[in-house]
Amino acid sequence: MSGSRDLILARVRRALADVPPDDTPYEQAFERPYLREHGHRSVAETVDLLAENLADYRALVHRCTAGELAATIARLLAERGSAAVSVPTGLDPRWLAATEVTQVPDSAANTPAELDRVDSVVTACAVAIAETGTIVLDGGPDQGRRRITLVPDHHICVVRVPDQVVSSVPQGLERVDPARPLTWISGPSATSDIELDRVEGVHGPRTLEVVLVSGE
Amino acid sequence: MSGGTFVGMPAFPKAAHEAVHNQTLRGNLRHATHTIRAKRANAVAEVSDWAELREAGKQIKDHTLRHLDRYLVQLEESVTAAGGTVHWAADADEANRIVTYLVKATGESEVVKVKSMATQEIGLNEALEAEGINAYETDLAELIVQLGKDRPSHILVPAIHRNRGEIREIFTREMSEWGRPAPEGLTDTPAELADAARLHLREKFLRAKVGVSGANFMVAETGTLVVVESEGNGRMCLTLPETLISVVGIEKIVPTWQDLEVFLQTLPRSSTAERMNPYTSTWTGTTDEDGPQSFHLVLIDNGRTDTLADEVGRQALRCIRCSACLNVCPVYERAGGHAYGSVYPGPIGAILSPQLRGIDNEIDASLPYASSLCGACYDVCPVAIDIPEVLVHLRERVVQGGAVTREGAKVVLKPAKGHAAERAAMRAARWAFSHPGALRTGQRMASRTRRFHPRSLPGPGKAWSETRSLPAVPAEPFRDWWQRTQGGKDTSK
């Protein structure tokens, strides 16, 4: 289809006949007068804002220390009544040390239908954005393939605070690698398609639990 | 299959005239637009640098459009380097042929679709159906539209013209035709309806081998595509199938990864009035063992380069499809999306559709008039498209004709039919204003005979007055009143 490629590019160039060839280059084309973050907050306040905004979008937020993490995850899986949990290959095994739920290791061989029979998934994240209440997954070894946080109905995501927390969208984008597949999650799946009534979950996990874990 | 086509639609004045008499439609629309409008204002008020973000978004998009050739070539290189294949489509037919060919090459006869304005614009579902390929819409609202054999009426919430009772009825009647039937005893609560859709669609996702999407943004520097959504159906279509085909307009480029920091702040707040939409997916070519192993990007022109050639109308290509302009528009609120007879309804549709499709037919020639020029759409636009400016520009084009670009070639457009009365009126006005004596006589005559004026104009003015209320003629011409009272100073007379 190189015919259409050349055709379209030629049309674009003709359409832009009014643009001088020495038109301002990208670096000088515009300023970025907007803010890098909104407001000044201490580290603790930024973490609090993350918790508040996550909850505002109906994620369930839990806080614990590193020492309490395994027990916290075990409790959340038990409360949910999960029988099987999907586990990324690089997840710290200590996180699941206290649960007896069947662990299904993330594997390319797992079909979506198999994954559909798994109740829960536990992952880490790449970064979390306080101002918008967003967690970002980048497919790293402790987060797994994109599908494991999508098909099961219950996602437990662990955020290390404060080092994985940034204030704003601009700061979040700086921290992630565009070459990796990214999933930005702000609250559980939602729809407002029916009379604008917000309903959790048509397709993604209907329950999102975020564990903010502090300390080593 | 995704509802009726827009061919054969009446022009806007007639369609709108019928729509405003539909009480259910008006009620649904009024509720929707007022709710989103208020929420959006709050979401925008939360960020103190909104004006700066808006200006930056405008400048980034303008810069990109002014160098679109360069960024398209850069995008092609970076997508290819990341393992994707880039295809170019000059028009809708070519885009449909490419997608059909790609689907057939997989040996599959069904695809799952993420809601996409671009694929609606080119009529992809119908084209696939003609080749024996079923395209399943997976966005809840698009599903409602598809099952209801209907057309979308809003960019963001396409089934907003339907209320819960109508949706229940559609699900109960139609789901079994397409796959898993609606559960027994389905009620009309939104949660139950959403659950029925979840079960119905999950069956399709889990077996799908081919996904078709659009994209909100494409990053030239990195070759990254971005899809912004709420439900997760996007993530399903983007990650579960083996093959992913994304159909995207050439104007959706941003130069760098950093540029997304502007649009990921302005788009959700303008669109769903949220700080951030529930899900955003980005992908760069293919990734080993995670997601589709075959990725095709189909870049479509389909009238965009013609739009680019118009120095006033070009700004419409900045649009990021947030739909904020629909929700504030008094005309959209009453007429609804269907009346626009185009995939892009509301104020943005009124300037985008006539430019993408030309103004040769009656629908497109009528669209620049589907506005009160109140300017609310410009105020809320997150990339500052001066919609009223373009509307007026296009009205002039409709009435006067002039040089435009069609499929890359300059053509001179004749004045559109049906606007002869307008031109005659303008000529008459020009003559009257340059002959003050005649104007004075005419005005006095009008005042004296005002009791006998009809409600609509006879003869060539009939078309104009059918869709407008004629102003009442005052009892005394202004200039007579001014002279008599010395400009209002002497009120005793």
Side-chain angles (χ1 to χ4, degrees):
Chain A
M1 319 270 169
S2 70
S4 291
R5 177 188 190 275
D6 295 345
L7 178 72
I8 292 170
L9 288 172
R11 283 180 183 176
V12 169
R13 286 171 189 138
R14 264 204 307 281
L16 294 172
D18 63 300
V19 177
D22 59 348
D23 198 46
T24 325
Y26 174 82
E27 295 72 24
Q28 296 149 34
F30 38 86
E31 294 172 6
R32 296 187 189 272
Y34 51 87
L35 303 170
R36 302 307 299 167
E37 61 183 301
H38 297 89
H40 297 285
R41 285 175 293 265
S42 68
V43 171
E45 285 168 341
T46 304
V47 173
D48 287 346
L49 182 65
L50 172 67
E52 192 184 310
N53 282 337
L54 281 165
D56 193 34
Y57 279 10
R58 304 189 193 176
L60 307 174
V61 182
H62 312 275
R63 301 177 88 146
C64 69
T65 64
E68 296 160 347
L69 182 59
T72 303
I73 290 174
R75 176 172 60 82
L76 297 178
L77 289 170
E79 282 172 3
R80 175 84 186 178
S82 288
V85 58
S86 177
V87 184
T89 52
L91 197 79
D92 188 334
R94 288 172 299 179
W95 291 9
L96 289 167
T99 179
E100 286 170 12
V101 170
T102 305
Q103 300 187 19
V104 181
D106 174 27
S107 152
N110 291 345
T111 65
E114 282 165 356
L115 204 51
D116 194 31
R117 293 193 282 275
V118 174
D119 305 301
S120 302
V121 56
V122 178
T123 70
C125 73
V127 65
I129 301 169
E131 288 182 4
T132 55
T134 305
I135 51 177
V136 184
L137 309 180
D138 71 357
D142 54 2
Q143 297 152 59
R145 265 164 276 268
R146 282 171 281 178
R147 59 162 96 153
I148 68 168
T149 53
L150 172 63
V151 180
D153 204 15
H154 178 222
H155 179 195
I156 300 173
C157 182
V158 178
V159 183
R160 291 196 307 273
V161 301
D163 57 300
Q164 285 192 311
V165 184
V166 297
S167 276
S168 65
V169 170
Q171 293 170 348
L173 276 163
E174 278 170 8
R175 287 269 285 258
V176 291
D177 177 1
R180 307 185 70 97
L182 303 178
T183 305
W184 298 45
I185 298 173
S186 310
S189 160
T191 182
S192 299
D193 280 338
I194 302 169
E195 296 185 19
L196 297 179
D197 261 11
R198 192 178 166 102
V199 176
E200 263 76 66
V202 186
H203 306 303
R206 284 179 285 196
T207 309
L208 171 67
E209 306 207 57
V210 181
V211 183
L212 305 178
V213 59
S214 55
E216 272 312 301
Chain B
M1 114 160 44
S2 74
T5 84
F6 290 106
V7 177
M9 275 287 295
F12 184 84
K14 186 165 186 299
H17 188 73
E18 285 162 14
V20 294
H21 292 297
N22 181 336
Q23 293 296 329
T24 310
L25 177 81
R26 282 191 69 168
N28 294 349
L29 279 171
R30 191 185 147 77
H31 170 63
T33 53
H34 283 247
T35 307
I36 309 183
R37 203 187 292 181
K39 278 180 68 187
R40 179 206 158 269
N42 291 337
V44 166
E46 254 187 33
V47 279
S48 53
D49 57 342
W50 185 258
E52 288 80 12
L53 285 166
R54 182 178 189 242
E55 180 61 22
K58 172 190 175 200
Q59 290 188 15
I60 290 169
K61 279 285 195 177
D62 267 352
H63 167 82
T64 313
L65 291 170
R66 288 169 74 87
H67 301 279
L68 193 57
D69 50 338
R70 188 213 300 167
Y71 288 118
L72 278 166
V73 171
Q74 189 187 8
L75 177 78
E76 181 187 41
E77 284 169 5
S78 50
V79 169
T80 308
T85 309
V86 178
H87 310 262
W88 301 70
D91 56 26
D93 284 346
E94 188 174 15
N96 288 332
R97 277 201 306 277
I98 293 169
V99 178
T100 306
Y101 169 81
L102 291 172
V103 176
K104 284 189 168 175
T106 66
E108 294 295 312
S109 61
E110 59 180 42
V111 303
V112 285
K113 279 193 67 213
V114 196
K115 171 176 170 339
S116 142
M117 303 302 296
T119 59
Q120 270 172 35
E121 176 190 319
I122 62 173
L124 178 64
N125 290 9
E126 293 78 7
L128 288 173
E129 191 187 16
E131 296 288 327
I133 299 164
N134 286 327
Y136 297 117
E137 293 292 348
T138 62
D139 172 82
L140 174 58
E142 288 292 343
L143 175 75
I144 296 167
V145 169
Q146 188 172 43
L147 292 178
K149 300 180 177 64
D150 197 357
R151 289 187 311 270
S153 63
H154 191 285
I155 291 174
L156 174 73
V157 276
I160 200 63
H161 56 294
R162 297 287 199 184
N163 61 34
R164 60 186 70 189
E166 294 175 292
I167 295 167
R168 180 192 162 275
E169 150 85 29
I170 291 167
F171 279 10
T172 309
R173 196 179 62 227
E174 299 291 336
M175 269 185 174
S176 58
E177 299 285 313
W178 291 77
R180 184 174 174 138
E184 289 287 323
L186 179 68
T187 75
D188 66 358
T189 61
E192 265 196 51
L193 294 170
D195 208 42
R198 181 185 178 95
L199 292 169
H200 178 80
L201 286 169
R202 197 156 268 231
E203 181 188 77
K204 296 192 167 58
F205 286 130
L206 297 184
R207 67 166 190 246
K209 297 280 188 288
V210 185
V212 173
S213 83
N216 294 88
F217 305 101
M218 307 185 284
V219 182
E221 173 190 53
T222 59
T224 308
L225 270 76
V226 182
V227 162
V228 170
E229 51 135 0
S230 294
E231 295 175 11
N233 66 305
R235 294 177 62 193
M236 291 271 185
C237 297
L238 299 170
T239 58
L240 294 186
E242 293 160 8
T243 300
L244 172 61
I245 303 165
S246 299
V247 182
V248 191
I250 53 173
E251 82 284 16
K252 293 266 175 134
I253 298 185
V254 297
T256 71
W257 179 249
Q258 194 191 352
D259 296 325
L260 291 175
E261 70 189 16
V262 173
F263 303 104
L264 289 181
Q265 292 190 78
T266 52
L267 177 57
R269 287 178 200 271
S270 297
S271 172
T272 52
E274 294 172 300
R275 290 181 199 108
M276 185 63 85
N277 48 287
Y279 295 133
T280 298
S281 296
T282 79
W283 71 99
T284 305
T286 54
T287 305
D288 285 344
E289 301 196 325
D290 183 358
Q293 294 302 294
S294 170
F295 169 57
H296 297 272
L297 172 60
V298 182
L299 292 170
I300 56 169
D301 177 348
N302 203 35
R304 284 161 177 77
T305 50
D306 294 343
T307 308
L308 190 66
D310 188 317
E311 289 175 40
V312 177
R314 177 183 295 167
Q315 57 185 305
L317 298 176
R318 293 205 296 257
C319 176
I320 56 173
R321 314 281 190 262
C322 73
S323 75
C325 61
L326 276 61
N327 301 323
V328 296
C329 178
V331 176
Y332 174 86
E333 182 189 325
R334 287 163 182 83
H338 292 156
Y340 292 80
S342 104
V343 166
Y344 305 99
I348 187 64
I351 62 167
L352 201 51
S353 300
Q355 295 202 85
L356 293 178
R357 304 191 298 202
I359 44 177
D360 312 331
N361 68 62
E362 207 196 343
I363 297 177
D364 289 307
S366 76
L367 285 178
Y369 294 86
S371 166
S372 64
L373 297 181
C374 74
C377 48
Y378 172 52
D379 292 341
V380 297
C381 178
V383 286
I385 301 170
D386 193 340
I387 295 177
E389 181 190 19
V390 183
L391 284 167
V392 171
H393 171 72
L394 293 176
R395 286 184 187 187
E396 187 184 320
R397 175 70 27 83
V398 169
V399 175
Q400 307 281 2
V404 293
T405 305
R406 279 283 170 278
E407 293 176 11
K410 281 260 191 301
V411 292
V412 177
L413 210 63
K414 280 189 211 143
K417 282 182 202 150
H419 290 269
E422 216 163 326
R423 279 189 297 280
M426 285 303 155
R427 271 197 302 275
R430 214 160 27 234
W431 182 84
F433 285 123
S434 56
H435 296 79
L439 179 64
R440 188 180 313 129
T441 310
Q443 285 174 337
R444 285 179 183 156
M445 287 275 287
S447 283
R448 275 170 214 150
T449 58
R450 69 195 190 111
R451 271 190 298 141
F452 309 109
H453 291 181
R455 279 169 188 245
S456 63
L457 295 173
K462 192 166 179 290
W464 191 87
S465 61
E466 259 176 359
T467 51
R468 293 165 175 88
S469 307
L470 288 179
V473 177
E476 180 182 26
F478 173 76
R479 59 168 75 201
D480 288 3
W481 170 85
W482 183 268
Q483 278 194 339
R484 181 168 61 76
T485 62
Q486 296 175 329
K489 282 182 205 143
D490 185 356
T491 50
S492 63
K493 290 184 192 173

